Amino acid sequence: MNNLHVDALVIGGGIAGMQAALDLGDQGFQVALVEREPSIGGKMITLSKVFPTLDCCSCITTPKMSAVAHHPNIKLFTYCEVQSVDENGAGFDVAILKKPRYVDENKCTGCRQCEYECPITVPSPFDRNLGSYRAIRVPFSTAVPQTAVLDIDNCLLCGKCEKICPVEAVDFTQQPEIFGIDTTAIVLATGFEMTDLGAKKEYGGGELPNVIDPLMMERFLAPTGPYGRVLRPGDGMEPTTIAYVQCAGSRDQTQGIEYCSRVCCMYAIKQAMLISGALPLAEITIYYMDIRTFGKGYEQFYQNAQAMGVEFVRGKVASIREDENHNPVLRVELTEEGRLIERTHDLVVLSLGMIPTASPQVFGLLPSSDGFISLPALNASPCATERPGIFVTGTASGPMDIVDSIITAGAAASDASAYIRSKIGMRVEQSEVAYA
Amino acid sequence: MPDEKLKIGVYTCYCGGNISHTVKCEQVAKLMEGQPDVVISRTNMSLCSDAGQSQIEQDIKELGVNRVVIGACAPSLHEQTFRGTVMRAGLNPYLYHHIGLREQDSWVHACDCEGATCKAVRLMAAGVAKARLLQPLESIQLRAEKQALVIGGGVAGLRAALDIARQDLRVVLVEKSPFLGGRMAQLETVFPTGEDARELLHRLIEQVVAHPNITIFTQTEITGVSGYVGNYGVQLLQHSRGVSDEDSEKMIEACQRLVPDEFNYGLSERKVIYRAYPGCYPPSAAVDWEYYFDHPLQVNGKQVVLKDEPKTFDVNAGAIVVATGFDPYEPRHGEYGYAEIPEVVTLPQLIRRLALKKDDEIFQWNGHPVRDVALIHCVGSREVEGVDEPHEDGQVNNYCSRVCCTAALHMTEELHQRFPGLNIYDLYQDIRTYGRGHEEYYRHAMENCVRFVRYHGAERPEVTTAPDGDSHPVLVRVKDSLTYNEELEIPVDLVVLAVGMMPRDIDNLVKMLKVSRGNDRFLLEVHPKLRPVETAVNGVVLAGTAQGPMNIQESLSAASAAAAKVVSLLGQGKVELQPFVAAVDAEKCDGTGACVEACVYEGAIALETFEENGRQVKRAVVTPANCSGCGACVSVCPNRAIDVQGWTLAQYEAMVDAIAMDIVDLVEAA
Amino acid sequence: MAQIIQTQQPKILILATLAGGYAGADSTGQSHLDYPANTYILPVMCPCMFPPDFFVRAFERGIDGIIVMYSGTDSPYKVEADGTAKLINNAYALMKERGIDIRRLRLAAICTVCVKPFLKEVNQMNELLQGIGFVKSEIASRAASAQGAQA
């Protein structure tokens, strides 16, 4: 592949990356969006509903994904990972690894015949390993691009997919390729991961079957989830008492994560409200230190949850064990009553925190003491990094919710545009506008 | 166009087997072939492939196909693709109609091939029926003024103006007061970096002032707004500065009239001819016309009375950024003792007071030394209906003001640094130090021995004057939930109220711009998740605290995001809208006006008077820029004189007829 | 001409909004769930455009059941929720006048992933139509009994 030249390279195809790419593309710049997964959509496409409006998450993400795919100024590179970023005077030379899909993207029409024929089933990380998919598959029903990808590590090489494909797109001979993009500006939108479920040994995450992480609960609650219902993974029982342990991966010196992850209070309350709808008889308790419902409409959301009967108990959960029926037993100090109690629930969700996905070193940047990318001009240009021309948006720059991700994406686009213009030094001819 | 012979091309896709394994595509194509006006009916393994698209292009060019019907996977996947195909072949992209035969047919009737095929035949016949009535449409192009109006000269307005100007658009920045800077100028240090607020602000102001694309008008208000996206006409009223740079010092000296200084929240006074603060911009002094009252000045032995000579002028703007900011909540008289007990002050006031008394080594208030301070959170925020007293407009502020917890704990750190022996009691509900670098303030506060007392919203702390002879002037009573609701009585020298943010009173502006306010009375965005800086009014965007409580960093991001939206909108000098808007057939319209009554979109449709055959008649006229295409007008018109272009009633009726037809009829019609 | 065997089944027309019901129908398809083939879905931007006599005309042409799947309060059109409800009420009034069973017209809020509600609506309408039969028969028999009453 020849070096592609673009005005801006957006790294990461989650909501922040997509929004930044759209905002830059709408202004007439040529954008390349690189995403390491086989589809864009990030974490947002895996969620059920979003707070505080309880909009269907898929309904608001898929139009963005579609807009990115169809935008005349955006080139999408999925299943690709950035290897290195070097300055070249006018901008950056970025080396990108294109991982082999073993499917020819130009031929594949997403018909999924290969998927139906494949004899191998593997646990699906999209469904947090609660559901499964085939070794060759279109990643999920609303994936963009709707192109199949083969997980070669789990492949038998039986060739059934190759035989059935009507356009002969399966290609076992594909190799990883390195190609280059030369760009004026870079926007990092590499997103977050949840803190490790098993990080706090006292909580039994990863060992106790009915102690789960919030993304699993999202999959239970999502209409397109693996079960379509809320069940506890241990034995498939419908839980009647559910506990949320707040600050399970944040504000905790023992885990080395002292910061607040900002979204956990809201997502716990959101899930509690959705569970109340799905399981009207369930009793939900949220064990917290401080309830941080600070955003627009968030305090009302909290008040609604209380009115709906969600129980809020102030106390930092000390430990979780299980009884003989695998029911988690929480040990917690009720700070408002000054006594220690043990309480049994059917299911416990640890409100895990956020850590950055990408290590800043690949981009020649240093992390801050909290691990996220350092922002040297927080109160002047909140999207600027230490390297001129590299901007950061979304959860790569710190924990934040969807609204703030979209806003910082717009801000990064704005900063990047000013930078690009100053570098190019000329008026950018706008070819096509995509405003509706 | 009306005389051109219809030549419909029908294409049924196999979709790589996904459609063809259930729907008998060949039979469908054969049946369509015989339909009136159809000149070619093909199947294809994969229409979206290069080969498939080329076939369609070829038919348009060589067979003169002028209407295209495609039966394939869901339109969400490839409608855009095929519009492109049709356009490349030189045909209007709206002369093509897409039928979904996969998600809504073959994939959901897998066990019923015959049923699925009959359904496909009817759906394709419906597509053909609509195609007969398709008209070429052009997207609506509006010339857009490459100039934006930014209302508000605080940090958000400044940032938005600069970001827009950098993209080669002109900006008119309008500020109501005589000076730029807004509320950020009233801060000393900002969290979480501890930087000097005015230094940061001045760097931004310098860039704005220096930018050739930005024109700044201070002491200027908006008095009228007309037009629509791309072409707003805005009427401005600018008051005179009142004094020139040469004589301002003499005038200021001569001026005897004093008013409370709002820069210091009334803690000090200033003259009615003034500068907001040292180093402010513009540096010229200004007359505060609201309080001047023809105050005579003795200058050089003569009496001078200054006059305001306001100018009105108009500007055009393609888009408008609203950055009008916030007001800190002003507690009521007696609320926590405010305005009744001199030792009760708001956090913004304390910030100003500490700045005014920068050189004091001892912390003093009202003549006494301050050793113990109580800081109360959530004043004017997180109010509960039925528990807290409503405000003038009957509402309570049930929202969280977001920045105050961090601001309050930042203040405890500042106080501790300046007055190390100070005892601080922090009375809170939840500590919301959510941001990056904010939790540290909470930790430092605990390390600095700030005593935290947690109260419940329903039972707020009470502040009273202490009895005479007591060691301290003020008593604060509170139920502490951290000590099992024990009622504490805390004697203090000073009570600091961490007040929330209130939306400013911009009623007039809201009416003129036709934007909406949320339940919290801040300006409302069109979609809180997807479109957080846009309003429902096309071309009007929001920046900063006009929209809701946020800190400086968040205001900067929001302002930049708003700027990005403006640039996308105006950058090309034209605004392009989809053609799916209402259109009136003037011949059928008889001016009933039912459409105007039914329409909920401001300025989308109106009755206008025309001359017809010597008489004055009223006819409905649509302004496409303001029309959403909802069709509420269509259903009420008694003459069927209005339709949504591309989705007409006649097209739907034709489709319904095709679906209702029996297959036998269809076979015979062939 | 190829012969297609056509079984007489009641016909259900679904007017589905692009932002809501139409996408919900697509989601149902992506999940490969099964429902009867006598449903015909037409995309609409906003159902407010259909006057009450549109529905009656459709019934008189032989559409046996109509479901309007709108976006409810999630709609991009601020008038959609209230406007559609009002319209359907007016349509019911007109249907009553013409002697058409008002249960043949239904309004349901369906979102982009509302697969179960979509199926529920389709299956419920089918059950109803199995019970009350074809609309043309209904109109004919009402006309006949009206004539009979007059005689």
Side-chain angles (χ1 to χ4, degrees):
Chain A
M1 250 187 253
N2 291 326
N3 247 29
L4 171 70
H5 172 77
V6 292
D7 300 312
L9 172 66
V10 177
I11 305 179
I15 186 66
M18 292 194 291
Q19 187 64 54
L22 288 169
D23 284 340
L24 282 163
D26 282 347
Q27 291 183 61
F29 295 105
Q30 294 304 311
V31 183
L33 174 62
V34 169
E35 164 57 47
R36 67 171 187 178
E37 296 295 325
S39 166
I40 51 177
K43 295 288 181 300
M44 195 167 163
I45 195 68
T46 69
L47 305 179
S48 57
K49 295 204 166 41
V50 295
F51 55 74
T53 50
L54 296 182
D55 278 311
C56 147
C57 200
S58 160
C59 303
I60 59 181
T61 320
T62 46
K64 299 262 178 196
M65 292 164 71
S66 184
V68 165
H70 292 127
H71 202 291
N73 295 340
I74 301 176
K75 283 192 176 56
L76 191 53
F77 296 96
T78 52
Y79 217 38
C80 291
E81 265 185 74
V82 168
Q83 303 294 289
S84 66
V85 173
D86 294 310
E87 273 166 62
N88 67 10
F92 302 93
D93 278 325
V94 183
I96 301 178
L97 170 69
K98 182 167 153 55
K99 300 184 281 195
R101 279 182 187 255
Y102 303 101
V103 170
D104 185 333
E105 289 165 324
N106 296 321
K107 290 187 183 159
C108 176
T109 58
C111 72
R112 299 167 87 179
Q113 299 292 340
C114 54
E115 200 174 329
Y116 305 145
E117 285 298 307
C118 178
I120 304 293
T121 311
V122 293
S124 153
F126 183 82
D127 279 331
R128 309 298 288 175
N129 294 343
L130 298 167
S132 63
Y133 49 19
R134 304 299 169 87
I136 187 168
R137 71 249 164 192
V138 170
F140 47 90
S141 61
T142 46
V144 170
Q146 281 269 312
T147 305
V149 60
L150 171 62
D151 173 8
I152 200 79
D153 295 329
N154 283 303
C155 174
L156 280 186
L157 293 171
C158 68
K160 285 194 172 157
C161 50
E162 194 181 16
K163 286 195 198 77
I164 201 76
C165 177
V167 292
E168 291 171 10
V170 178
D171 177 6
F172 291 103
T173 67
Q174 272 188 11
Q175 295 294 324
E177 276 176 54
I178 304 259
F179 68 99
I181 291 185
D182 117 59
T183 177
T184 311
I186 294 180
V187 176
L188 297 176
T190 46
F192 75 97
E193 294 302 329
M194 298 237 87
T195 55
D196 188 24
L197 183 62
K200 205 166 172 75
K201 291 277 171 291
E202 296 91 327
Y203 286 167
E207 284 178 17
L208 304 181
N210 295 316
V211 173
I212 65 172
D213 78 35
L215 288 177
M216 285 179 181
M217 182 55 88
E218 289 292 337
R219 296 313 297 150
F220 289 142
L221 293 165
T224 53
Y227 309 148
R229 323 162 47 188
V230 181
L231 298 173
R232 62 180 206 171
D235 52 19
M237 191 186 100
E238 232 176 48
T240 49
T241 59
I242 302 165
Y244 276 82
V245 177
Q246 296 309 105
C247 304
S250 319
R251 301 182 73 190
D252 190 341
Q253 285 180 355
T254 67
Q255 286 187 55
I257 298 177
E258 295 189 39
Y259 53 84
C260 167
S261 289
R262 192 157 165 157
V263 299
C264 337
C265 285
M266 279 305 285
Y267 75 57
I269 296 175
K270 171 196 78 173
Q271 289 187 356
M273 308 233 315
L274 294 174
I275 295 170
S276 300
L279 302 170
L281 299 175
E283 279 167 24
I284 306 160
T285 309
I286 297 183
Y287 296 92
Y288 71 96
M289 290 171 26
D290 292 282
I291 292 290
R292 296 182 166 182
T293 49
F294 56 86
K296 199 165 185 184
Y298 292 9
E299 185 69 26
Q300 294 87 311
F301 195 66
Y302 175 29
Q303 286 172 5
N304 289 349
Q306 290 173 302
M308 270 175 79
V310 174
E311 189 190 11
F312 288 87
V313 172
R314 190 169 185 279
K316 167 99 178 162
V317 171
S319 62
I320 307 176
R321 60 178 178 82
E322 66 177 6
D323 67 14
E324 60 280 0
N325 295 319
H326 299 295
N327 298 320
V329 181
L330 271 67
R331 191 176 169 78
V332 60
E333 180 197 349
L334 302 179
T335 59
E336 294 190 341
E337 295 175 47
R339 59 191 180 93
L340 239 63
I341 59 158
E342 282 203 336
R343 230 159 132 195
T344 310
H345 293 273
D346 292 336
L347 183 63
V348 171
V349 181
L350 299 182
S351 291
L352 300 176
M354 286 185 170
I355 48 174
T357 301
S359 76
Q361 281 89 340
V362 176
F363 313 110
L365 296 170
L366 293 172
S368 239
S369 55
D370 58 9
F372 289 91
I373 286 174
S374 166
L375 301 174
L378 200 53
N379 283 312
S381 280
C383 293
T385 65
E386 276 147 8
R387 281 179 91 173
I390 302 187
F391 305 93
V392 63
T393 175
T395 50
S397 65
M400 61 175 71
D401 56 31
I402 291 166
V403 178
D404 289 331
S405 295
I406 293 179
I407 293 179
T408 55
S414 214
D415 277 355
S417 325
Y419 182 80
I420 295 166
R421 275 180 188 267
S422 71
K423 280 300 221 178
I424 294 179
M426 65 181 196
R427 220 163 280 251
V428 173
E429 284 316 318
Q430 313 242 344
S431 47
E432 280 171 75
V433 103
Y435 184 88
Chain B
M1 197 73 228
D3 293 336
E4 190 198 44
K5 189 166 178 305
L6 281 172
K7 291 186 179 165
I8 304 179
V10 183
Y11 302 87
T12 309
C13 189
Y14 273 52
C15 201
N18 272 305
I19 294 178
S20 56
H21 65 56
T22 311
V23 170
K24 298 192 179 29
C25 298
E26 296 303 329
Q27 288 188 347
V28 174
K30 208 88 173 101
L31 270 176
M32 288 304 111
E33 203 171 62
Q35 296 300 302
D37 305 310
V38 173
V39 299
I40 186 82
S41 173
R42 298 188 196 275
T43 60
N44 194 291
M45 177 56 74
S46 176
L47 276 171
C48 58
S49 63
D50 263 344
Q53 291 187 54
S54 299
Q55 178 70 84
I56 299 171
E57 282 177 66
Q58 201 176 5
D59 287 346
I60 294 172
K61 289 187 189 141
E62 291 175 13
L63 301 179
V65 162
N66 54 26
R67 300 286 187 278
V68 174
V69 178
I70 294 178
C73 55
S76 57
L77 292 165
H78 285 302
E79 192 174 48
Q80 294 285 63
T81 315
F82 293 124
R83 282 212 205 281
T85 312
V86 165
M87 246 170 54
R88 275 194 305 275
L91 192 61
N92 184 290
Y94 297 100
L95 292 175
Y96 134 69
H97 184 68
H98 194 104
I99 304 279
L101 293 180
R102 188 180 74 169
E103 284 81 346
Q104 294 184 8
D105 193 354
S106 68
W107 272 1
V108 287
H109 309 312
C111 310
D112 181 7
C113 291
E114 272 152 26
T117 307
C118 283
K119 174 167 166 172
V121 168
R122 288 202 179 94
L123 286 175
M124 293 300 278
V128 169
K130 175 164 177 172
R132 287 196 193 96
L133 300 173
L134 285 173
Q135 292 299 318
L137 298 174
E138 300 296 329
S139 30
I140 298 162
Q141 305 244 340
L142 303 170
R143 193 198 72 84
E145 185 68 54
K146 290 179 83 163
Q147 173 162 282
L149 173 73
V150 176
I151 307 176
V155 64
L158 291 166
R159 176 91 249 162
L162 186 61
D163 284 350
I164 296 170
R166 282 180 177 171
Q167 302 299 322
D168 276 339
L169 294 171
R170 283 166 281 121
V171 180
V172 171
L173 173 61
V174 162
E175 164 57 43
K176 195 162 151 186
S177 81
F179 304 97
L180 295 181
R183 297 253 173 246
M184 190 170 167
Q186 294 171 284
L187 298 175
E188 294 298 309
T189 54
V190 295
F191 58 76
T193 52
E195 290 165 287
D196 183 283
R198 278 186 295 275
E199 251 179 59
L200 283 168
L201 188 58
H202 288 170
R203 260 182 257 150
L204 182 56
I205 292 178
E206 269 162 27
Q207 290 178 294
V208 170
V209 168
H211 206 292
N213 285 353
I214 304 177
T215 314
I216 304 171
F217 295 105
T218 52
Q219 286 177 284
T220 304
E221 299 160 32
I222 318 275
T223 49
V225 176
S226 64
Y228 44 78
V229 63
N231 291 286
Y232 282 109
V234 184
Q235 201 180 62
L236 301 173
L237 173 81
Q238 182 177 38
H239 297 275
S240 316
R241 205 91 188 146
V243 289
S244 69
D245 283 342
E246 297 86 49
D247 54 16
S248 57
E249 298 316 313
K250 278 190 260 155
M251 297 295 181
I252 292 175
E253 224 192 276
C255 176
Q256 303 301 317
R257 178 171 274 278
L258 293 170
V259 289
D261 186 358
E262 72 277 345
F263 184 81
N264 288 317
Y265 295 108
L267 290 176
S268 63
E269 289 182 315
R270 60 157 172 83
K271 300 192 173 177
V272 294
I273 307 175
Y274 73 114
R275 291 190 180 82
Y277 59 90
C280 64
Y281 186 88
S284 317
V287 177
D288 183 353
W289 299 111
E290 217 184 315
Y291 293 108
Y292 174 64
F293 300 143
D294 292 336
H295 166 56
L297 305 168
Q298 293 282 32
V299 182
N300 296 340
K302 281 193 282 187
Q303 239 199 25
V304 177
V305 174
L306 302 169
K307 284 267 172 266
D308 180 17
E309 280 151 13
K311 283 187 296 185
T312 46
F313 56 100
D314 292 337
V315 294
N316 283 342
I320 299 175
V321 180
V322 182
T324 46
F326 74 97
D327 282 327
Y329 173 74
E330 171 104 29
R332 281 177 287 258
H333 265 247
E335 191 176 347
Y336 300 104
Y338 183 75
E340 285 176 1
I341 304 176
E343 287 85 6
V344 176
V345 70
T346 66
L347 181 55
Q349 284 174 326
L350 180 63
I351 294 172
R352 296 314 315 145
R353 176 58 181 279
L354 290 173
L356 286 169
K357 306 277 182 179
K358 230 197 305 259
D359 301 320
D360 274 12
E361 284 194 9
I362 302 175
F363 194 8
Q364 286 208 33
W365 200 277
N366 202 25
H368 324 284
V370 177
R371 307 142 295 170
D372 299 282
V373 177
L375 184 50
I376 305 180
H377 290 230
C378 306
V379 175
S381 308
R382 296 187 72 180
E383 295 174 335
V384 182
E385 238 182 86
V387 172
D388 292 292
E389 213 184 297
H391 301 281
E392 262 170 39
D393 60 1
Q395 306 255 56
V396 295
N397 299 345
N398 62 355
Y399 54 87
C400 166
S401 288
R402 191 163 175 147
V403 309
C404 357
C405 277
T406 310
L409 293 179
H410 176 216
M411 174 52 79
T412 65
E413 187 150 304
E414 301 265 293
L415 286 173
H416 184 80
Q417 272 169 13
R418 249 183 97 170
F419 310 113
L422 198 59
N423 268 336
I424 303 175
Y425 299 90
D426 187 295
L427 281 62
Y428 75 98
Q429 295 190 69
D430 290 281
I431 295 290
R432 293 179 168 181
T433 44
Y434 62 87
R436 220 178 143 190
H438 296 189
E439 192 74 32
E440 279 78 335
Y441 287 109
Y442 191 14
R443 191 163 48 85
H444 291 168
M446 286 190 277
E447 286 165 5
N448 292 333
C449 300
V450 169
R451 289 173 179 78
F452 286 91
V453 174
R454 188 167 176 269
Y455 70 89
H456 277 295
E459 296 182 276
R460 290 179 179 259
E462 275 173 33
V463 177
T464 52
T465 318
D468 274 338
D470 255 29
S471 58
H472 293 72
V474 184
L475 285 176
V476 179
R477 262 187 216 96
V478 60
K479 269 207 187 133
D480 182 14
S481 69
L482 295 175
T483 51
Y484 336 123
N485 282 331
E486 191 179 320
E487 183 159 314
L488 303 176
E489 205 179 70
I490 311 172
V492 294
D493 300 301
L494 182 66
V495 175
V496 182
L497 305 178
V499 291
M501 288 186 171
M502 292 280 293
R504 293 198 99 157
D505 178 10
I506 46 166
D507 267 351
N508 285 342
L509 196 57
V510 166
K511 282 202 195 82
M512 284 188 268
L513 292 173
K514 296 164 199 142
V515 291
S516 323
R517 278 187 274 224
N519 285 332
D520 53 11
R521 290 99 89 225
F522 285 93
L523 294 179
L524 192 61
E525 58 284 291
V526 66
H527 192 295
K529 285 307 233 198
L530 280 189
R531 298 168 68 185
V533 296
E534 298 162 74
T535 64
V537 179
N538 226 345
V540 177
V541 295
L542 303 173
T545 52
Q547 186 189 4
M550 55 179 83
N551 62 33
I552 291 165
Q553 183 193 338
E554 292 159 352
S555 296
L556 289 168
S557 292
S560 292
K565 289 284 172 265
V566 168
V567 175
S568 310
L569 189 50
L570 305 179
Q572 212 183 347
K574 60 181 162 107
V575 171
E576 210 174 279
L577 304 173
Q578 277 206 306
F580 305 135
V581 293
V584 179
D585 183 344
E587 284 171 30
K588 293 191 188 155
C589 175
D590 66 6
T592 317
C595 51
V596 179
E597 251 193 76
C599 179
V600 302
Y601 290 88
E602 281 278 355
I605 191 167
L607 284 178
E608 286 181 21
T609 318
F610 295 92
E611 206 180 287
E612 215 173 87
N613 301 330
R615 297 175 308 137
Q616 298 282 316
V617 294
K618 279 203 194 296
R619 297 284 178 263
V621 176
V622 176
T623 303
N626 293 331
C627 174
S628 72
C630 73
C633 50
V634 177
S635 59
V636 296
C637 178
N639 304 338
R640 295 231 343 205
I642 190 167
D643 256 315
V644 176
Q645 294 190 116
W647 307 79
T648 68
L649 270 182
Q651 287 168 357
Y652 278 101
E653 285 170 349
M655 289 195 278
V656 166
D657 290 351
I659 291 169
M661 256 206 281
D662 283 337
I663 293 286
V664 174
D665 296 338
L666 212 63
V667 167
E668 282 173 2
Chain C
M1 211 61 347
Q3 281 304 296
I4 299 182
I5 303 157
Q6 185 233 196
T7 45
Q8 266 283 57
Q9 271 209 55
K11 293 196 192 95
I12 300 174
L13 175 70
I14 300 181
L15 297 170
T17 55
L18 289 169
Y22 197 84
D26 279 346
S27 285
T28 310
Q30 278 157 4
S31 311
H32 290 266
L33 296 168
D34 228 69
Y35 57 91
N38 59 340
T39 44
Y40 301 88
I41 303 172
L42 293 181
V44 315
M45 282 188 359
C46 174
C48 295
M49 66 175 274
F50 298 105
D53 57 26
F54 174 87
F55 300 104
V56 171
R57 181 185 177 285
F59 288 125
E60 288 172 350
R61 288 283 193 284
I63 300 291
D64 302 290
I66 302 177
I67 312 175
V68 175
M69 290 191 178
Y70 73 139
S71 315
T73 47
D74 282 339
S75 168
Y77 303 98
K78 49 182 166 172
V79 68
E80 184 174 329
D82 294 332
T84 312
K86 219 169 90 178
L87 218 66
I88 299 295
N89 279 332
N90 291 342
Y92 284 149
L94 196 57
M95 284 164 78
K96 278 200 193 115
E97 269 180 50
R98 306 286 178 88
I100 303 172
D101 191 324
I102 63 166
R103 290 175 296 171
R104 292 183 187 272
L105 173 62
R106 213 174 127 65
L107 179 62
I110 303 284
C111 86
T112 67
V113 287
C114 282
V115 171
K116 285 207 193 100
F118 176 86
L119 289 173
K120 193 169 130 213
E121 287 296 327
V122 169
N123 290 327
Q124 269 182 358
M125 181 58 85
N126 258 310
E127 256 181 64
L128 173 74
L129 294 178
Q130 295 302 327
I132 62 176
F134 296 103
V135 67
K136 279 189 171 168
S137 323
E138 183 176 282
I139 295 177
S141 73
R142 292 273 161 100
S145 63
Q147 268 186 346
Q150 283 175 356

